[in-house]
Amino acid sequence: MPALERLAARYRVIAPDLLGFGESDRPDWLDTTTDYVYHLLDLWDALDLGQAHLVGVSLGGWIAAEFATVASHRLRSLTLVDALGLEVSSAPILDLFALSFEEQVRAMFFHPAQAEPYLQPLDREGQLRRLKGQVTAARVGWNPLLVNPKLRLRLHHIGVPTLVIWGAQDRVAPVEVAEAWHSAIAQARVAILPECGHLPPIEQPEGFCGAVEEFLATV
Amino acid sequence: MQFYFFHLMPWPTLPDDFDQRHAAWVDLSNRYFDPVAGHALYNRYLDELEYAIQLGFDGVCVNEHHQNAYGLMPAPNIMAAALSRRLTRGKIALVGNAISLRDNPLRVAEEVAMLDVITGGRIISAFVRGIGAEYHSMSLNPTYSRERFDEAHDLIIRAWTEPGPFRFEGKHYRFRYVNPWPRPFQSPHPPIWIPSQGSAETIEWAAAKRYPFILVYSSLATIKARMDGYRAACERLGYRPDPEQLGWMCPVYLADSEAKAHEAARQHILWLFHKGLKMPQHYFFPPGYLTETSQFLVGTRRHFSEYTYEDFVKEGWVLVGDPKSVRDQLKQHLRQLGAGLFLALLQIGTMSHWETVRNLELFAQEVIPAVKSQD
């Protein structure tokens, strides 16, 4: 992914396939984002990361926020990108599970052409990998729908500088959710990217990397 | 050989623009349900079930579906209760309680035991997981569907057979005092049926438990393959299943002549498959409802909307014809399938009361005795 390559030119970037996605299997015990937090703590220790910057996108943003509420001391900063997980009653998360795969992909982007590469036919292995990810997302996010209603009560435990990056036209998690993160986390600032949907690192890699680099330079 | 009348209790009055909509499930607004018409319809449908027993059917089947126009029975046990004091003979088959959808399966153990005691042991208790759309309708996590089914099943069977109170500590269900009053009338418990579209996991499990296995909505070739699979599973387990361990649920339409039957049946059969069962694939199969391998396989399957009326007839999804033709087809198919339970869907889609009564009478008088006599 070009955004990761650009960041990797200046930083040591670790981008794990989270449990149940990509090349990682889904253990039977995995059913909440809390399980990801404990797994991430293990990964942190295994890689001896000490204090590091944490960036999470979408479901990864939810997990990053949960992690930061219990392990803020392990962080130098937190970046939440179109993060799920925070319940905002006036701006509910889109019910992605009620959409076809094609509708889900199209809902991710502001520019329709951006969706096309993800709609190409996959071989059997690719389809099974995709199914695995869909099942994992359902396992942790079916109900409550991609939020943890208690998370807001815990956000005051985040004690590091936090950047909230959001696609202005995110149809999955409306931009109002960015404002909710901003107001609930003490040291937070916001960067809204124009002409951008739910996945800024893919749709606006320049704007995304620029915002991250500028933020990290101040931390 | 046993014959059951299976009713779905459909809501036939769909909005005029229904063909532009994507589903009769989940998000078809309930403002299209009219309670006054519904009052008449429920009572009409119950009359039809009662009449079937008068006509000599071995039993009647009620079932569970939620938030849809396909079938108005969210609570099969309520329908069975309505029938239980009116029917003094014949079985009442709950086909079935969607036990995975219940947060408290002890309620199912209690309700079915009550029905069994009230009817003096004339209840058949099928268990299902509920279809995929119901995991959307109930916002219930589909990735737990099978786990919850297995656990709820074990809890209910133990509740019916082990003296209480005892503790049950599952992953999804935990009870410190399992001790339902009443206990079922039948010993050790009402017969369990397993209706299914025939996944490999379900076939193995039902064969191991010796539960009658009921195939629904498939072509004859598929039904034959699944029943053969069930028999093979039984044989691997060291026994030969009784024919009444294999059931086939099928829409049936009879009229005095072949031509009349097909002319009249077409709209009702197409209502059932193209309207009543209309929903996108991701409603049918939400993530985790099937194993990932099974999900991969259904991705290649034809959708109901791609079948014509002629396809349904030719492939044996439905039986339509005059009494002689239906009788001959049914004899031949049941012999080939080796099945001893037949669940006839004799009210289909938009069929009127009198059309349904006629269908029931023709089936009871012209088909059942002839098929039974060849046993």
Side-chain angles (χ1 to χ4, degrees):
Chain A
M1 194 195 294
L4 287 181
E5 282 161 27
R6 173 167 155 184
L7 291 174
R10 290 180 59 178
Y11 301 93
R12 178 186 173 208
V13 175
I14 299 162
D17 282 357
L18 293 174
L19 295 174
F21 294 96
E23 300 297 320
S24 296
D25 290 337
R26 179 182 61 256
D28 283 343
W29 48 258
L30 181 97
D31 48 24
T32 64
T33 48
T34 304
D35 293 321
Y36 282 105
V37 169
Y38 283 88
H39 182 257
L40 212 46
L41 286 168
D42 290 337
L43 184 73
W44 219 271
D45 290 340
L47 297 177
D48 197 16
L49 293 181
Q51 279 195 321
H53 302 288
L54 180 60
V55 182
V57 184
S58 185
L59 177 64
W62 177 8
I63 293 164
E66 297 268 4
F67 183 88
T69 63
V70 300
S72 190
H73 57 285
R74 299 201 184 214
L75 300 182
R76 292 170 66 189
S77 76
L78 173 67
T79 301
L80 303 177
V81 187
D82 298 75
L84 306 176
L86 186 60
E87 185 163 37
V88 180
S89 57
S90 58
I93 306 293
L94 179 67
D95 188 358
L96 288 166
F97 301 116
L99 303 180
S100 69
F101 176 71
E102 181 178 344
E103 291 165 339
Q104 288 175 356
V105 170
R106 295 201 183 282
M108 296 291 156
F109 297 101
F110 171 73
H111 299 94
Q114 291 270 2
E116 296 307 327
Y118 301 94
L119 296 172
Q120 300 309 309
L122 295 175
D123 61 11
R124 184 175 192 278
E125 200 182 318
Q127 286 188 52
L128 286 171
R129 200 184 304 117
R130 188 170 85 196
L131 281 171
K132 175 175 69 178
Q134 290 172 329
V135 173
T136 304
R139 172 65 48 106
V140 301
W142 188 269
N143 191 17
L145 182 61
L146 296 165
V147 295
N148 174 358
K150 285 192 169 169
L151 183 54
R152 190 188 292 265
L153 300 173
R154 299 169 179 171
L155 291 177
H156 64 275
H157 288 283
I158 299 177
V160 290
T162 298
L163 174 64
V164 178
I165 300 179
W166 221 267
Q169 286 83 22
D170 188 341
R171 281 182 280 154
V172 178
V175 72
E176 266 181 272
V177 181
E179 197 37 57
W181 287 110
H182 180 211
S183 59
I185 298 174
Q187 303 177 53
R189 66 189 89 167
V190 183
I192 306 294
L193 301 179
E195 299 197 347
C196 184
H198 185 62
L199 301 172
I202 294 172
E203 188 155 18
Q204 293 288 3
E206 293 285 316
F208 166 75
C209 291
V212 171
E213 287 164 354
E214 190 185 323
F215 169 61
L216 295 185
T218 67
V219 174
Chain B
M1 186 73 223
Q2 292 188 55
F3 289 91
Y4 288 76
F5 169 36
F6 194 107
H7 214 311
L8 288 167
M9 302 199 174
W11 178 255
T13 327
L14 295 171
D16 293 339
D17 64 348
F18 181 76
D19 288 342
Q20 278 79 60
R21 294 165 187 258
H22 74 156
W25 297 71
V26 185
D27 49 13
L28 179 68
S29 172
N30 63 0
R31 68 195 166 97
Y32 299 110
F33 177 79
D34 169 1
V36 175
H39 167 72
L41 201 59
Y42 268 125
N43 284 285
R44 174 200 138 183
Y45 286 159
L46 287 164
D47 287 346
E48 289 164 3
L49 287 163
E50 291 169 18
Y51 186 48
I53 294 296
Q54 282 183 41
L55 287 170
F57 281 78
D58 294 292
V60 292
C61 304
V62 294
N63 65 95
E64 173 171 345
H65 285 299
H66 298 271
Q67 303 196 159
N68 70 94
Y70 163 85
L72 294 176
M73 282 185 278
N77 303 339
I78 288 181
M79 285 296 140
L83 293 166
S84 66
R85 293 270 299 160
R86 305 272 294 201
L87 299 180
T88 53
R89 61 188 165 86
K91 307 273 190 200
I92 301 172
L94 307 156
V95 185
N97 271 286
I99 54 178
S100 323
L101 299 179
R102 289 282 190 114
D103 282 334
N104 184 348
L106 267 186
R107 293 290 298 269
V108 177
E110 291 173 338
E111 291 164 13
V112 175
M114 286 170 72
L115 290 166
D116 202 42
V117 172
I118 291 169
T119 59
R122 287 182 293 113
I123 295 295
I124 291 164
S125 175
F127 294 139
V128 294
R129 294 196 287 144
I131 71 164
E134 282 151 347
Y135 289 79
H136 290 285
S137 293
M138 302 305 231
S139 295
L140 187 74
N141 195 319
T143 72
Y144 292 132
S145 168
R146 194 168 289 277
E147 279 180 17
R148 281 169 67 102
F149 179 87
D150 291 346
E151 222 174 88
H153 162 273
D154 293 350
L155 170 62
I156 293 167
I157 298 297
R158 286 187 58 193
W160 282 343
T161 54
E162 285 180 31
F166 62 86
R167 275 175 94 110
F168 183 91
E169 305 286 359
K171 174 176 169 188
H172 298 279
Y173 306 112
R174 288 170 176 267
F175 293 95
R176 294 197 287 285
Y177 303 98
V178 179
N179 192 27
W181 292 61
R183 291 189 292 115
F185 188 91
Q186 297 175 82
S187 181
H189 55 72
I192 310 296
W193 288 357
I194 303 299
S196 170
Q197 291 215 313
S199 71
E201 300 93 332
T202 306
I203 286 177
E204 293 294 327
W205 181 84
K209 302 272 187 198
R210 304 197 177 205
Y211 290 156
F213 185 63
I214 316 292
L215 266 299
V216 298
Y217 295 148
S218 297
S219 67
L220 259 175
T222 303
I223 287 171
K224 176 83 167 68
R226 299 291 181 272
M227 288 191 178
D228 287 347
Y230 180 87
R231 262 187 295 268
C234 295
E235 273 158 30
R236 280 196 298 280
L237 291 157
Y239 77 98
R240 192 176 290 267
D242 188 279
E244 291 189 4
Q245 249 173 279
L246 287 162
W248 173 24
M249 190 281 249
C250 184
V252 180
Y253 194 101
L254 288 147
D256 300 332
S257 75
E258 284 288 288
K260 271 197 219 164
H262 285 288
E263 191 193 337
R266 175 184 297 269
Q267 60 165 313
H268 306 307
I269 299 289
L270 291 180
W271 191 98
L272 172 66
F273 288 108
H274 289 177
K275 293 182 194 285
L277 284 163
K278 185 175 188 181
M279 72 186 87
Q281 282 295 81
H282 55 278
Y283 278 14
F284 248 123
F285 302 112
Y289 178 77
L290 301 174
T291 62
E292 282 152 36
T293 317
S294 300
Q295 177 96 48
F296 174 76
L297 292 174
V298 300
T300 59
R301 212 171 73 168
R302 274 164 83 196
H303 199 275
F304 289 141
S305 63
E306 296 165 43
Y307 288 81
T308 63
Y309 173 72
E310 285 71 19
D311 293 334
F312 288 122
V313 172
K314 194 174 67 201
E315 295 183 17
W317 294 69
V318 298
L319 287 177
V320 178
D322 64 25
K324 179 176 185 316
S325 122
V326 168
R327 192 161 62 219
D328 292 347
Q329 289 180 68
L330 192 56
K331 278 184 186 173
Q332 186 197 344
H333 297 332
L334 289 170
R335 198 164 42 235
Q336 280 172 358
L337 295 172
L341 287 174
F342 188 72
L343 281 49
L345 186 75
L346 292 157
Q347 193 288 331
I348 308 160
T350 40
M351 278 171 69
S352 71
H353 178 57
W354 294 113
E355 211 175 353
T356 305
V357 164
R358 180 80 185 130
N359 206 25
L360 282 166
E361 288 171 346
L362 285 172
F363 192 82
Q365 290 153 9
E366 306 283 338
V367 178
I368 292 178
V371 180
K372 280 200 172 186
S373 70
Q374 68 156 18
D375 269 6

